[in-house]
């Protein structure tokens, strides 16, 4: 049967190649792709990711070829990203503990959450969290997305996260223990050496954050614990780690191989790669 993939995109900007890579890998296998954003707004690529002349400050070179810029712009301009699903419409919001009838509200929330995430898990074979700076704003600490991620983990279905999208996995936690789902796992992600010192920007806002609000590497090292590990693979051209059910990709050039590895997870049962 044709595989179905649910791709999560930020409304504050995704990195072009980090969508193109997985999507092209899925298209080549005839997979069906569906897109979802926090509020159902159409996502757009970050302008630097469509510019082959843009020099990435930490790496000191362009990270986008002319061909990739063309492919990313073609996808970004296409109708495929029109009318995405909405996390806010599909998945309920956890009530505040200050609610007057908190216990009943919490019971209702848990019922609705189980039903909503159960439907999505049944409808899709894998979840993809696309990277870029946008996920820092509306994906990393999105409790609705955390609930969806937890449901995929419980169902033992794979999740691919790229770049700053990997933070979602670090922050998705069991409500009682507060332990990350990455505890004991091996992952990669944006290492400290790749972080901007200035210029971290987002679509739709006049705000230059400067450096990222948190070093993702430090978050991932803490989230994986002493039995897991973070692998930055600094000095190597690519870095993709498979530690089932997670596939994690470090940055831009890892996008296509991460999509191809998710295909291997789905079709060949791959459970470990890259460490």
């Amino acid at each position: 049967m044709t595989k179905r993939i649910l791709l999560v995109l930020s409304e504050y900007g995704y990195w072009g190649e980090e969508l193109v890579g997985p999507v092209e890998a899925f298209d080549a296998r005839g997979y069906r792709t569906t897109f979802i954003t926090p509020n159902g707004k159409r996502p757009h690529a970050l302008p630097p990711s469509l510019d082959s002349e843009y020099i990435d400050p930490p790496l000191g070179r362009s990270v986008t070829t002319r061909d990739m810029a063309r492919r990313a712009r073609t996808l970004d301009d296409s109708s495929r990203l029109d009318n995405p699903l909405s996390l806010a419409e599909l998945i309920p919001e956890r009530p505040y503990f200050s609610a007057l009838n908190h216990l009943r509200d919490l019971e209702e929330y848990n019922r609705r959450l189980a039903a909503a995430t159960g439907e999505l898990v049944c409808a899709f074979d894998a979840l993809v969290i696309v990277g870029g700076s946008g996920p820092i704003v509306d994906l990393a600490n999105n409790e609705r997305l955390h609930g969806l991620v937890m449901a995929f983990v419980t169902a033992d279905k794979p999740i691919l996260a790229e770049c700053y999208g990997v933070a979602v996995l670090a922050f998705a936690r069991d409500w009682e223990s507060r332990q990350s789902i990455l505890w004991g796992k091996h992952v990669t992600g944006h290492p400290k050496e790749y972080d901007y010192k200035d210029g971290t920007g987002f679509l739709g806002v006049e705000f230059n954050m400067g450096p990222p609000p948190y070093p993702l590497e430090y978050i991932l090292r803490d989230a994986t614990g002493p039995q897991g590990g973070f692998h930055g693979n600094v000095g190597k051209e690519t870095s993709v780690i498979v530690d089932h059910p997670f596939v994690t990709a470090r940055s831009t050039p890892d996008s296509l191989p991460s999509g191809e590895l998710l295909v291997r997870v789905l079709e060949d049962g791959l459970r470990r790669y890259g460490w």
Side-chain angles (χ1 to χ4, degrees):
M1 295 179 64
T2 300
K3 302 294 185 184
R4 293 196 60 187
I5 313 297
L6 181 62
L7 295 98
V8 187
L9 290 154
S10 169
E11 294 172 1
Y12 287 85
Y14 69 87
W15 194 269
E17 186 169 349
E18 292 178 21
L19 177 61
V20 170
V23 165
E24 289 188 346
F26 304 151
D27 287 350
R29 301 299 298 171
Y31 292 1
R32 296 174 62 187
T33 52
T34 299
F35 304 97
I36 189 169
T37 61
N39 297 292
K41 296 180 181 178
R42 191 197 192 281
H44 293 279
L46 293 156
S49 73
L50 304 178
D51 182 3
S52 62
E53 302 301 316
Y54 175 76
I55 303 299
D56 183 78
L59 297 181
R61 60 175 175 81
S62 171
V63 294
T64 305
T65 66
R66 290 183 179 180
D67 180 59
M68 181 52 71
R70 175 189 59 79
R71 288 150 62 190
R73 188 175 295 278
T74 297
L75 180 55
D76 192 58
D77 289 342
S78 75
S79 62
R80 292 184 70 172
L81 301 181
D82 294 348
N83 304 310
L85 300 177
S86 168
L87 281 165
E89 290 182 5
L90 293 174
I91 298 178
E93 185 175 55
R94 181 184 295 274
Y96 279 113
F97 276 76
S98 60
L100 293 177
N101 197 5
H102 178 260
L103 184 57
R104 297 289 84 79
D105 289 347
L106 186 60
E107 291 171 347
E108 176 63 16
Y109 162 76
N110 283 322
R111 282 193 293 268
R112 292 177 59 203
L113 178 66
T117 57
E119 289 182 7
L120 289 168
V121 167
C122 287
F124 296 97
D125 298 286
L127 183 69
V128 176
I129 303 168
V130 179
S133 59
I136 293 172
V137 180
D138 60 353
L139 297 186
N141 197 28
N142 188 316
E143 284 193 357
R144 287 185 167 103
L145 180 54
H146 293 170
L148 182 58
V149 165
M150 296 289 286
F152 269 81
V153 171
T154 299
D156 201 36
K157 289 191 172 183
I159 302 171
L160 163 60
E162 305 171 279
C163 189
Y164 283 110
V166 185
V168 176
L169 305 183
F171 295 140
R173 299 177 179 233
D174 176 80
W175 191 256
E176 296 297 328
S177 71
R178 302 293 207 264
Q179 187 175 84
S180 173
I181 56 174
L182 292 182
W183 192 260
K185 293 293 184 178
H186 289 260
V187 300
T188 190
H190 219 264
K192 192 75 174 77
E193 290 85 349
Y194 281 36
D195 284 346
Y196 284 16
K197 295 180 182 296
D198 188 27
T200 304
F202 314 98
L203 289 182
V205 293
E206 295 295 330
F207 177 52
N208 172 11
M209 182 172 278
Y214 50 79
L216 180 58
E217 175 181 341
Y218 297 170
I219 297 294
L220 295 177
R221 286 187 181 279
D222 292 346
T224 52
Q227 303 305 316
F230 170 83
H231 305 271
N233 288 319
V234 176
K236 296 182 180 179
E237 291 186 1
T238 59
S239 179
V240 184
I241 301 292
V242 178
D243 193 354
H244 190 84
F246 305 115
V247 181
T248 51
R250 178 181 63 190
S251 192
T252 304
D254 311 296
S255 305
L256 182 58
S258 69
E260 294 171 342
L261 283 165
L262 180 57
V263 169
R264 290 180 57 188
V265 170
L266 289 168
E267 297 188 5
D268 303 329
L270 179 69
R271 300 185 68 88
R272 173 172 172 162
Y273 176 91
W275 54 279

